[in-house]
Amino acid sequence: MKSDAVKKGVQQAPHRSLFNALGLTPEEMERPLVGIVSSYNEIVPGHMNLDKIVNAVKQGVAMAGGTPIVFPAIAVCDGIAMGHIGMKYSLVTRDLIADSTEAMAIAHQFDALVMVPNCDKNVPGLLMAAARINVPTVFVSGGPMMAGHVHGHKTSLSSMFEAVGSYSAGNISEEELEEFECKTCPTCGSCSGMYTANSMNCLTEALGMGLQGNGTIPAVYSERIRLAKHAGMKVMEMYEKNIRPRNIMTEKAILNALTVDMALGCSTNSMLHLPAIAHEIGMDFDITFANEISAKTPNLCHLAPAGPTYMEDLNEAGGVYAVMNELNKKGLLYTDCMTVTGKTVGENIKNCVNKNPEVIRPLENPYSETGGLAVLTGNLAPDGGVVKRSAVVPEMMVHEGPARVFECEEDACEAILSGKIVAGDVVVIRYEGPKGGPGMREMLNPTSEIAGMGLGSSVALITDGRFSGASRGASIGHVSPEAAVGGPIALVKEGDIIRINIPENKLDLLVSDEELAERRANWQPKEPKVTTGYLARYASMVTSGNRGAILEIPGKK
């Protein structure tokens, strides 16, 4: 046992005395020590129920012969952090979570781990940690929120943000806005659409690191408690068989996850997190090859914000495994990949049928023949930008318009809400990238305001920042290189014409090469927005969005 390093022998008598102080019995110390990484807190709605999940996991581990020991991981609520300085601290927590979990797991020599995350950054952060630590590990999330109901229609967090824009445009009353406020988020859980948290929990199933239903069983269902108990039992089986994360999270598994991503229509943030997870297993993840997978992968789901269905509907339709089984009919998955079930992908999905073709479109009737995400390149984004193609209306798939340039999110929001943005415009928000932000803020406020103001089918938004999974429309993020390092987005001037062609994966600034070269020669970097604390250290180490905003030692490749 790995934990023998802190339990066995005369030299470990001091260690055992500390275990005694914890109340552990000799019998418990004879068993494998299983770390339960709990993201429970009382500020994130997706995490307020994790104490119950953690207790269920502990029961499962103990029933299967392990000794469960809980330690924490932090988590930020992106919705509460949205639209102010707090959003600079969202993406950056992914690496704090990975680093602190690595430190705790190795310092205490756990034999196995069960990760209990739920929201945007702690799911990928813990997947990164799992790859590093590489002891038997199972994931079990807290589950998605149920949809809200307003005026007889299901709603989600994006509905709430768009209601603010509708109120500003005079389309709804203050009383109606308050009704949205009270009814949009009715339960605990990760927000009810295919936003980043639910995207990553679903992709954890596709990667093979979570049990069936991990991404879709609603947080309030008792089935979620049973799933947690099974996760605790399953990690002991993995320990006995010595199945480790790097046996599961292989290059083929990453490609499976990207394929499922395209079918589900996941958040653009998955194109930050999958490269970061791939980096931990030594895989060079070039985001442009996502277009190769997208070209052959049909988009089968239009969950909110792309459509009128929600995570609870996907669960009832058969969940992630049903989507995977549909894709496998076309031979799009590597079915020989190992999973935490102890079985292969092919064995897991074999009998998982699509129970609702309105929620999971069959292969012969997809929403589109190509996947939900696209990577655009061109002279405005030489290293790529990412768009959630499945959430773009048909009339904005090809668009050309004048640039309206803003140096930060707040200035753009003020212009949108004051009516200064008109049909045809291309809003450019720059110096919001990983280094320039720093922290690469999500832009849910401006995208929601554009939609709420009735401009969703006529205005595009381009940024070196990123978008919430709740964003919809022609919203192109992760534009790389970012403005802070002199990327072309830093050279755009007010009124320049920008051409977007999503079917051809192109994003271009219609300015001559000579003019761009002159602008580049005159460009001067801006002073850093933050010079102290964690954000300053992060900015000094973080790479561009197209590489997953991973951290590297400066000067080292």
Side-chain angles (χ1 to χ4, degrees):
M1 271 184 247
K2 188 181 180 76
S3 61
D4 284 351
V6 294
K7 295 188 307 186
K8 299 288 187 181
V10 173
Q11 295 298 319
Q12 279 64 43
H15 304 70
R16 290 193 296 276
S17 73
L18 294 168
F19 282 119
N20 289 335
L22 288 169
L24 264 63
T25 65
E27 292 83 358
E28 287 173 303
M29 280 189 267
E30 286 296 320
R31 297 178 173 189
L33 300 186
V34 181
I36 315 298
V37 187
S38 170
S39 298
Y40 169 76
N41 64 46
E42 295 182 341
I43 189 64
V44 183
H47 291 221
M48 61 183 284
N49 67 319
L50 294 191
D51 55 341
K52 295 176 177 59
I53 303 298
V54 167
N55 283 336
V57 171
K58 289 175 67 177
Q59 290 179 52
V61 168
M63 284 191 290
T67 297
I69 300 175
V70 180
F71 65 88
I74 64 169
V76 163
C77 177
D78 278 13
I80 295 173
M82 194 70 66
H84 56 90
I85 191 173
M87 182 45 71
K88 294 179 185 289
Y89 285 88
S90 171
L91 178 61
V92 304
T93 64
R94 184 187 71 185
D95 297 274
L96 280 175
I97 291 160
D99 292 349
S100 59
T101 302
E102 173 193 358
M104 287 292 289
I106 295 177
H108 301 102
Q109 292 291 287
F110 286 106
D111 296 297
L113 297 167
V114 180
M115 307 293 198
V116 188
N118 210 29
C119 287
D120 295 38
K121 310 309 165 309
N122 66 324
V123 179
L126 291 178
L127 284 165
M128 292 162 65
R132 286 185 205 170
I133 301 160
N134 203 35
V135 297
T137 304
V138 175
F139 277 67
V140 56
S141 77
M145 183 183 290
M146 301 294 286
H149 291 83
V150 178
H151 298 162
H153 298 286
K154 286 185 177 181
T155 59
S156 62
L157 186 63
S158 56
S159 313
M160 184 68 250
F161 276 86
E162 290 176 17
V164 174
S166 296
Y167 173 75
S168 300
N171 296 328
I172 64 173
S173 67
E174 187 173 349
E175 289 74 20
E176 288 174 301
L177 180 64
E178 186 176 351
E179 184 176 6
F180 271 95
E181 186 178 326
C182 293
K183 295 182 178 179
T184 292
C185 298
T187 70
C188 63
S190 47
C191 297
S192 57
M194 188 55 79
Y195 308 151
T196 309
N198 291 326
S199 294
M200 293 310 301
N201 280 323
C202 287
L203 294 186
T204 299
E205 284 190 60
L207 279 169
M209 290 297 294
L211 298 176
Q212 182 180 5
N214 179 67
T216 60
I217 297 170
V220 295
Y221 282 17
S222 297
E223 185 182 358
R224 175 66 54 180
I225 301 295
R226 297 197 298 273
L227 181 75
K229 290 176 182 176
H230 283 129
M233 290 185 269
K234 189 59 67 173
V235 80
M236 296 309 300
E237 182 182 320
M238 291 181 66
Y239 173 77
E240 294 298 328
K241 294 180 178 178
N242 196 29
I243 300 174
R244 299 168 182 253
R246 285 183 215 160
N247 301 131
I248 294 169
M249 289 192 284
T250 62
E251 291 195 15
K252 286 182 177 181
I254 296 286
L255 296 177
N256 278 347
L258 187 53
T259 300
V260 174
D261 185 319
M262 294 296 175
L264 287 172
C266 289
S267 163
T268 52
N269 283 314
S270 63
M271 294 301 289
L272 282 174
H273 301 320
L274 286 177
I277 296 163
H279 177 73
E280 297 292 344
I281 66 165
M283 176 183 177
D284 184 16
F285 188 116
D286 179 352
I287 66 167
T288 58
F289 75 61
N291 289 334
E292 298 175 27
I293 289 181
S294 180
K296 60 185 180 182
T297 306
N299 178 225
L300 303 180
C301 298
H302 266 193
L303 294 140
T309 54
Y310 294 80
M311 295 305 297
E312 60 203 62
D313 303 313
L314 178 59
N315 187 62
E316 296 303 319
V320 176
Y321 276 19
V323 174
M324 293 174 74
N325 196 35
E326 202 70 40
L327 292 172
N328 196 42
K329 294 174 184 176
K330 198 176 177 182
L332 293 174
L333 298 176
Y334 294 100
T335 56
D336 59 342
C337 292
M338 180 51 62
T339 73
V340 293
T341 66
K343 299 177 181 177
T344 65
V345 166
E347 290 173 309
N348 285 342
I349 67 175
K350 183 169 56 177
N351 297 314
C352 297
V353 298
N354 179 0
K355 300 174 183 177
N356 189 339
E358 296 300 314
V359 176
I360 304 171
R361 290 276 187 96
L363 280 181
E364 56 271 17
N365 182 35
Y367 282 102
S368 67
E369 294 292 342
T370 53
L373 297 180
V375 176
L376 312 186
T377 55
N379 70 348
L380 186 51
D383 294 335
V386 182
V387 64
K388 189 171 183 175
R389 174 166 43 195
S390 59
V392 180
V393 294
E395 53 266 41
M396 289 299 290
M397 296 295 280
V398 177
H399 180 76
E400 191 172 301
R404 305 297 308 279
V405 182
F406 302 94
E407 308 297 290
C408 67
E409 176 189 1
E410 288 83 356
D411 291 350
C413 289
E414 182 181 348
I416 295 164
L417 291 175
S418 62
K420 295 177 182 177
I421 302 301
V422 299
D425 284 348
V426 179
V427 175
V428 176
I429 305 177
R430 62 192 180 190
Y431 294 98
E432 290 283 10
K435 284 185 181 293
M440 204 178 187
R441 288 195 289 179
E442 288 186 341
M443 304 288 164
L444 181 55
N445 278 353
T447 59
S448 299
E449 288 159 3
I450 286 169
M453 297 283 281
L455 298 170
S457 60
S458 60
V459 169
L461 195 156
I462 296 171
T463 181
D464 53 6
R466 61 195 180 92
F467 297 109
S468 165
S471 293
R472 62 186 176 99
S475 305
I476 302 163
H478 311 189
V479 169
S480 301
E482 64 173 290
V485 298
I489 193 172
L491 311 178
V492 181
K493 291 185 176 181
E494 186 81 8
D496 284 349
I497 302 301
I498 292 175
R499 179 185 293 156
I500 301 164
N501 190 323
I502 295 173
E504 294 185 6
N505 302 319
K506 297 294 291 181
L507 178 62
D508 288 302
L509 180 65
L510 301 189
V511 172
S512 69
D513 292 344
E514 293 76 17
E515 171 67 16
L516 276 180
E518 183 178 338
R519 293 183 189 181
R520 185 171 287 107
N522 293 323
W523 176 79
Q524 294 292 326
K526 290 183 178 292
E527 289 295 317
K529 296 177 185 175
V530 180
T531 57
T532 60
Y534 177 58
L535 286 180
R537 295 198 303 276
Y538 181 88
S540 73
M541 299 176 69
V542 71
T543 65
S544 60
N546 69 298
R547 295 188 60 205
I550 59 173
L551 300 186
E552 286 185 333
I553 298 170
K556 182 179 179 181
K557 295 295 182 184

